Every structure is written in C-alpha cells, then in structure tokens.
Amino acid sequence: MISLAYRDISNSFGRYLLTGIGLGLLIGVTLTMAGVFRGMVDDGKALLRYADADIWVVQQNTLGPFAEPSSLPDNMYRGILAIDGVRQARNVAYLTLEVSHGDHSVRVMLEGTDTQQNLIPLTAGRPIMRSHYELVADERSGFKIGDRIPIHRHDYEVVGLTQGMRSPSGDPILFLPLKDAQEIQFLKDNDAVFRDRKQLETNPKLNPPNNPGLLDAVEQNLFSNHRVNTVLVQLMPGANPRQVADDIEKWLRLTAYPSDEMEEILIGQLIAMASKQIGLFLVILTIVSAAIVALTIYSMTQTKLKEIAVLKLIGTRNILISRMILLEAIGLGLIGFLTGKLAVTYWAPLFPKHIVMLPEDTFRALLITLVICILASIAGIRAALRIPPGSAIGG
Amino acid sequence: MADTNNQVAEQNIIKPAIRVENLSKTYGTGSSAVQALKDASMQVQPGEVVGLLGPSGSGKTTLLQCLGAIIDPSGGRITLGGDLLFENGWQYSDRRTLRRDRIGFIFQRPYLIPFMNATENIAFLPMLQGKSNKQAYKRAEELLDTLDIADRAAARIEQLSGGEQQRVAIARALANRPPIILADEPTAPLDSHRAMSVMQLLHEMAAKSGTAIIVVTHDENIIPVFKRLYRLRDGVLHEEAGEGRGFDYLEN
C-alpha cells in the first residue's frame, strides 16, 4: 500500500522541512528557557556543593549572605568552634563586582576564604600559596593562568583555574585570600581616606593635644576591616545539624541555617521570582508552539481538501486519511524537536547565563512536542473527515 | 415448456449496466422542501456512453450523486448490473466500498492526487481494494499502455499536460473494472479538439471494457457524438435520441 503521508511529504519536502525548522527554532527557544531555569537552580546548588558546609552561620535575623546582607565579626568563628558538635568553622566574605583585564570585562563574585585549607578543586594551575594578591578563577570568567587582574588598588595574579564555580546569579567566582577580600570589600579610595583623616584631625575629641596616640588608634580601627559575611561550619560525625544550629543561635546570638535550609533560601526564595517568570514564559511558549503546530497542520489539510474529497469518493477509508495527517504532524514535530535540540546545543554556549539541558528535560520536551502534534493533528483530521466526498463532484 | 423458454430468453437478454426507476430526491422538508429529482428513470447498457444534459440547477449533480451512492435518494430504485443497490434505502451498508469496487468517477478537472505519480494514482485504487502492489502496478501499466501514455508512467502530476492528466483520470476510473463510470463534465476545461479526443477515448474504453459511461456535459460541440441522451429540466428526466456523429464531424 502506498503511504499517503510519505508521498505527500516527499512531494513538498522543501516546504515541509522549512515549516519543521521554523517550528524547531520555537522549540529551541522553549528548551533554552527551560535550560536557563535549570542553570539558575544548578548555580545555586553549585555554590552549596563546593562550600561543603553543614551549617551556614550569618548575621542574626537575616537570610544572608546572598538573599540579604550579612556581616559578622571575623573572630566569631572561635565561639562557633566551641559549640558542641562543630568540627571546623571558616570565615568567608563574598562580594560581587565588575573586573577588567585588557579589553575583557566581566561581572564576577569574589569569595575570600581561608586559602590554607586548599578546598577548591582545580582544573589547571596551582592553589593560592601566598597570603596576598593571588587568585583562582573560574574558567567561565575567561581569565587565564598568569593574567594579572587589577581589582581596586592591587593587581591579582591568576594562579589556578576551576570549573563550574558560579554564584547564584550565574557569575563566575574568583577565589582569593580572606584578608584581600575584606580589604576590597571595605577599602576606601585615597581621596576618601584623606578626607576622613582630615575630618578626624579636626575633631578635638578624637585628636586631643594631650593624647596623640588616640587619633592613630581611631584611624586604624576605621580604615581596617574585620568583618566577614558568613561562617561555614562542618560538623563532627553524627552531630545533628538542626541541634547545632539551634545552639549557635542560642549562645552566640547569630542565625544558623543547616545546608538544606540554605538550599531552600537559594533555590526557593532567591530565584523564586525568576523561576516563576521563566515558568510563565515556558507555558506561554508551549501554548504558542501548540497553536502554531495546530494552525500549520490545519493549513496543510486545508490546501488539499479537494484531493481528500476525491480520496474519500474513490473509496479511501477515513483511517488512511487520518493516518496521513497524524504522521505528517508527528513528522513535523520530530523535525522541529531535532532542530530545536541542535539549535540549543549550538547557541547555549553563546548565552551569558549558564544553561543546563538535563536528559529528562529533553525527553519531556520530546514527549510534549509529540503530544502537541498529535492533539494539533486532531483539528486537521476533523476538517478532513468533515469534507463530504460529494464535494469532488460539481463546480 | 413455454415458461421455461421465457426464463431462458430472459437470462439471455443482456442486463443493463445501470437501471434507474422513478428516482426522486427532495432537499429539506415542509414548505422549504425542494424536489431536485422527480421520478427519474433511465438505463444504460454495458459499453454504452450516454449524455446527460441540462441547465444549471436542473438536478444533474443530484442525479450523479445519487447514482454514485454519495447522497441518499428520497425514493425509487437503482439496480447495478442486476444487483439491487437502492430501494427504500441502500442495500449495501458500506457505500464507500461500493463506490470503490463498482463505480468509477471522472471529474471536471482531473483531481489527481498531486503527491503521487501517474502510475501510483491509478494503482492506488486496486491497492485500496486489497490487491497486492504487484497486481495493482500491473493493472496501472496496462491502462497507461491502453491510453497511450505509458511513457509518462513515472511523471509527477504537475509534469503532465491537461490532456495527459485527464487520461490518467480516465485510467483511474477504469482501474477497478467498474460496471459504470460517472463522468462529471470531463471535457469542461478542454478546447474542442481535446474535448473530442477525450470523448473518443471514453467511447473506445467503454467498448473495450464493457463499462457503461454517463457523461454530464454542457459542451455543445460534443453533444452530437452521443447516440442516446438524457435531458434534465427542473428535476424531470427525458430520454432523447442523439445524432451519433463521428468524432471528426467538427473537422468535416
């Protein structure tokens, strides 16, 4: 038996293929949106993964350090270490800024941490060994080993590279010594320091003639920084994270989140708005895709109404005609899906945002595409079945 | 003995390819009812080609659709090759199969399936009937050969001329060897020379295959070639004798 769908597609393959490719680009956009959403979730989780902390300790009554600002004295970790069940505690400072190297400018998140522990997994180069002015950069920043990156007053040499280290906003992370990060975070420019010093000097209470050391002490305190954004805690085996977090909150008047609660803050709250927006875009795109497929299939049927009437008149069963329309719709969906998948594969790296395509998302997209095509073909099939065979006779 | 002789004599009489008795068709009901066919009766012998004439709205298409088992007549009787097709309803529940196996159609335009080539357009009908691909293609090749377009067998429809397309359409109508072909103005889009050539072809095919052909036409040039005509006016069918002229009468 002659396959009506195969013959019809072969007869106008160019037009069919172009329609499929057009649909594929739309599917590609839909897949990209899903990939952006997955990327945001992955970015949030990546931070938690490499931080490898059981508890995040932040300023009291804040959702810090990412959802809200959080500032702690950098000696607070000593008190935390004294809490029962705590094995290790380390200070971390985060700040986001734009850094440039030559013509290359990129938004990054700086993470100041205790570099003695060498916790960062490297893909190239070496860990930070000096106490100042060295950094490890995520590959996505575009920096290379040996690059000297000017940040505020100092140049920092890239000594190592790492991969997949991103902030919850998707910015690549630069790791550097904690002291450097603290300095960058709070360091004032020369003019501001000069003006502040002038102001202090003219204040008789801070610069009394009989106590020349007071001004130095005030200035030293004012122009240095001893604060961090969070303390990451690792627990002893068997310790209950919620119990230890409660103890930290009770005794140190801080807020402590076990890692699952921090994940909820990062994924559930920080990107909740963005994910809702992307979710809505996905729904709209899916509806638009479905409408376009339905219209395309319907139009394809409308262009051959007379032929369908003749087919019915000469005795072709409805099932053969329906199968032709259904197979053409599924074929269109498959071409569209393949085009979309290929498009995403090639254009995803061009996006500044991290795009993650999970196999289950791809499979789900294929399934949704096929379901949409099958449903869309119903409109065409209904139109075809409504044509009376007698319409082939007469004018 | 006399009864037996009569029975033998009846059996020897050639049964008409199609016999229509008191066929009527009414559209609508009550005050808005329109009677499109009024007690129409006709019969066509195997191998005969008859013309069906009538002005627009006279009921030609309705009659053709009734004969083609496309619409339901309101009353009357249709017999096809001795088999009762319609009397107080269709005697065959599956009219699609009835059309496929026993009625051929030729339209004003060829209406060939554009995504099949010439051979496939013809072979598709035997395939629908359940014939193997080999048998179906063999039948298509026979018909293409008979209709003198064997060299265009693999041509796509848009590559065929108007005349060639109409020949493929005739071949398709003959593909399942139906006892009757209903031709709805088959010469309408053709010039007089080509129209006459199609009419000649239909007569030759009818004579060769024994298929009866009813040709609906408005074409004044081809009317003289029919030996027998039916004329419809306001739903009433009249039989007339035709001139039965030769197919070259226009040139002479």
Side-chain angles (χ1 to χ4, degrees):
Chain A
M1 175 52 86
I2 291 169
S3 163
L4 295 178
Y6 174 73
R7 287 290 192 284
D8 191 23
I9 292 169
S10 321
N11 186 55
S12 51
F13 186 68
R15 198 177 56 177
Y16 186 78
L17 189 67
L18 276 178
T19 311
I21 289 172
L23 177 69
L25 294 177
L26 198 63
I27 291 172
V29 173
T30 313
L31 281 171
T32 306
M33 294 302 281
V36 168
F37 171 70
R38 291 290 185 199
M40 289 172 78
V41 173
D42 194 59
D43 288 344
K45 285 188 175 170
L47 189 70
L48 290 168
R49 239 185 347 259
Y50 82 77
D52 194 27
D54 296 315
I55 295 175
W56 291 63
V57 183
V58 297
Q59 185 182 332
Q60 197 175 28
N61 299 327
T62 69
L63 292 169
F66 304 109
E68 278 180 355
S70 161
S71 179
L72 305 171
D74 62 3
N75 58 2
M76 211 66 199
Y77 77 98
R78 291 200 182 97
I80 293 169
L81 278 171
I83 300 286
D84 196 24
V86 173
R87 182 168 62 89
Q88 204 173 56
R90 60 189 174 97
N91 287 323
V92 183
Y94 296 105
L95 70 151
T96 300
L97 74 167
E98 189 89 8
V99 294
S100 304
H101 174 59
D103 297 338
H104 180 56
S105 174
V106 62
R107 189 172 175 79
V108 297
M109 188 171 89
L110 296 186
E111 179 178 324
T113 186
D114 179 1
T115 52
Q116 299 303 309
Q117 295 185 30
N118 292 335
L119 293 171
I120 314 152
L122 300 178
T123 54
R126 61 166 175 82
I128 294 167
M129 288 175 166
R130 287 165 56 194
S131 2
H132 290 290
Y133 313 132
E134 285 188 348
L135 60 81
V136 167
D138 186 81
E139 286 174 353
R140 210 173 162 85
S141 68
F143 299 138
K144 293 179 179 59
I145 290 174
D147 283 353
R148 295 187 70 80
I149 315 297
I151 303 174
H152 290 183
R153 284 190 194 167
H154 304 289
D155 286 354
Y156 292 79
E157 185 184 351
V158 180
V159 295
L161 294 177
T162 185
Q163 200 177 38
M165 301 294 183
R166 295 171 301 275
S167 76
S169 315
D171 302 323
I173 296 179
L174 306 187
F175 297 89
L176 68 172
L178 179 66
K179 289 287 171 200
D180 288 351
Q182 287 175 313
E183 188 185 291
I184 293 165
Q185 199 167 16
F186 298 102
L187 192 68
K188 295 178 177 178
D189 61 72
N190 289 337
D191 289 340
V193 171
F194 179 78
R195 274 194 295 272
D196 285 352
R197 277 190 176 147
K198 271 288 185 201
Q199 208 171 8
L200 290 174
E201 278 170 17
T202 53
N203 187 333
K205 283 183 181 170
L206 296 173
N207 191 16
N210 56 349
N211 191 357
L214 180 62
L215 182 64
D216 285 346
V218 170
E219 281 181 356
Q220 199 175 0
N221 191 46
L222 196 67
F223 300 131
S224 63
N225 171 38
H226 297 285
R227 302 195 75 79
V228 292
N229 301 112
T230 185
V231 178
L232 302 182
V233 174
Q234 284 185 322
L235 299 179
M236 302 228 182
N240 181 329
R242 188 62 262 171
Q243 180 61 51
V244 176
D246 287 345
D247 288 345
I248 292 170
E249 290 184 349
K250 182 177 167 188
W251 296 112
L252 300 173
R253 302 173 68 80
L254 298 168
T255 294
Y257 296 107
S259 57
D260 55 339
E261 289 180 23
M262 183 48 80
E263 181 174 331
E264 172 57 26
I265 292 170
L266 281 172
I267 312 299
Q269 296 189 23
L270 197 61
I271 62 168
M273 184 77 87
S275 66
K276 271 182 200 163
Q277 212 153 321
I278 289 174
L280 200 62
F281 262 121
L282 271 174
V283 170
I284 292 169
L285 275 171
T286 308
I287 292 170
V288 169
S289 306
I292 289 176
V293 175
L295 270 172
T296 307
I297 304 292
Y298 186 74
S299 308
M300 278 165 61
T301 311
Q302 289 292 313
T303 56
K304 40 182 184 277
L305 286 185
K306 201 76 180 183
E307 286 80 13
I308 289 171
V310 172
L311 281 171
K312 290 170 93 171
L313 188 68
I314 63 177
T316 311
R317 302 223 160 266
N318 282 343
I319 186 84
L320 271 180
I321 296 167
S322 303
R323 195 163 68 187
M324 170 180 77
I325 297 167
L326 180 67
L327 289 178
E328 285 180 7
I330 289 175
L332 205 61
L334 286 177
I335 291 174
F337 176 77
L338 283 175
T339 308
K341 178 75 183 109
L342 272 176
V344 173
T345 308
Y346 282 103
W347 74 36
L350 304 175
F351 276 75
K353 276 269 181 192
H354 177 220
I355 292 176
V356 176
M357 291 306 304
L358 299 176
E360 56 262 39
D361 280 350
T362 308
F363 180 72
R364 201 173 291 134
L366 172 65
L367 212 65
I368 291 172
T369 305
L370 290 180
V371 168
I372 286 174
C373 286
I374 290 167
L375 291 177
S377 69
I378 291 172
I381 290 171
R382 275 170 60 89
L385 298 188
R386 273 204 303 265
I387 304 164
S391 64
I393 291 181
Chain B
M1 188 66 183
D3 282 353
T4 311
N5 284 345
N6 284 342
Q7 279 171 3
V8 170
E10 262 179 37
Q11 280 169 4
N12 286 341
I13 294 168
I14 300 168
K15 288 175 185 163
I18 190 164
R19 185 201 294 271
V20 178
E21 295 161 89
N22 303 319
L23 200 70
S24 63
K25 174 67 186 174
T26 306
Y27 292 106
T29 52
S31 58
S32 62
V34 176
Q35 199 170 10
L37 278 180
K38 296 168 189 166
D39 292 330
S41 295
M42 69 187 298
Q43 69 174 37
V44 188
Q45 298 302 323
E48 188 184 15
V49 181
V50 299
L52 178 59
L53 315 178
S56 289
S58 61
K60 298 189 302 294
T61 300
T62 299
L63 177 58
L64 223 54
Q65 291 192 340
C66 288
L67 300 184
I70 296 164
I71 58 170
D72 300 333
S74 307
R77 184 181 155 97
I78 303 170
T79 315
L80 191 66
D83 295 336
L84 182 64
L85 288 194
F86 183 88
E87 187 171 30
N88 299 321
W90 293 99
Q91 305 298 306
Y92 288 78
S93 56
D94 186 0
R95 282 189 278 153
R96 202 181 284 243
T97 306
L98 172 69
R99 285 199 301 268
R100 183 192 70 196
D101 295 346
R102 305 192 66 184
I103 304 166
F105 293 93
I106 301 171
F107 311 102
Q108 280 183 18
R109 290 189 177 78
Y111 291 136
L112 298 169
I113 308 303
F115 46 83
M116 296 181 193
N117 66 25
T119 310
E120 287 166 347
N121 261 282
I122 302 162
F124 187 60
L125 258 95
M127 284 178 192
L128 285 178
Q129 216 176 22
K131 299 272 193 313
S132 69
N133 284 10
K134 194 178 168 187
Q135 287 172 312
Y137 280 114
K138 189 169 175 248
R139 173 71 178 146
E141 281 159 18
E142 275 171 22
L143 286 164
L144 286 167
D145 201 34
T146 309
L147 287 155
D148 207 19
I149 43 170
D151 57 326
R152 309 295 282 145
R156 289 156 61 104
I157 298 309
E158 71 264 23
Q159 293 169 333
L160 298 174
S161 69
E164 285 171 336
Q165 286 188 21
Q166 198 58 302
R167 279 169 186 254
V168 176
I170 292 168
R172 180 176 65 183
L174 288 162
N176 280 347
R177 298 186 171 87
I180 179 119
I181 288 177
L182 305 175
D184 182 28
E185 300 192 50
T187 60
L190 305 176
D191 60 45
S192 59
H193 177 72
R194 283 190 181 153
M196 202 54 79
S197 135
V198 165
M199 284 313 298
Q200 186 170 2
L201 198 60
L202 287 177
H203 277 80
E204 284 170 11
M205 289 295 113
K208 269 189 199 167
S209 61
T211 302
I213 303 178
I214 299 175
V215 180
V216 172
T217 187
H218 281 298
D219 190 343
E220 294 294 331
N221 288 328
I222 66 164
I223 293 170
V225 304
F226 293 108
K227 290 180 181 158
R228 215 153 60 83
L229 292 168
Y230 284 95
R231 196 178 289 275
L232 255 171
R233 185 164 288 125
D234 299 329
V236 180
L237 191 65
H238 302 281
E239 187 182 346
E240 290 175 11
E243 294 176 44
R245 291 206 198 176
F247 297 105
D248 55 353
Y249 87 94
L250 279 175
E251 288 160 33
N252 295 335

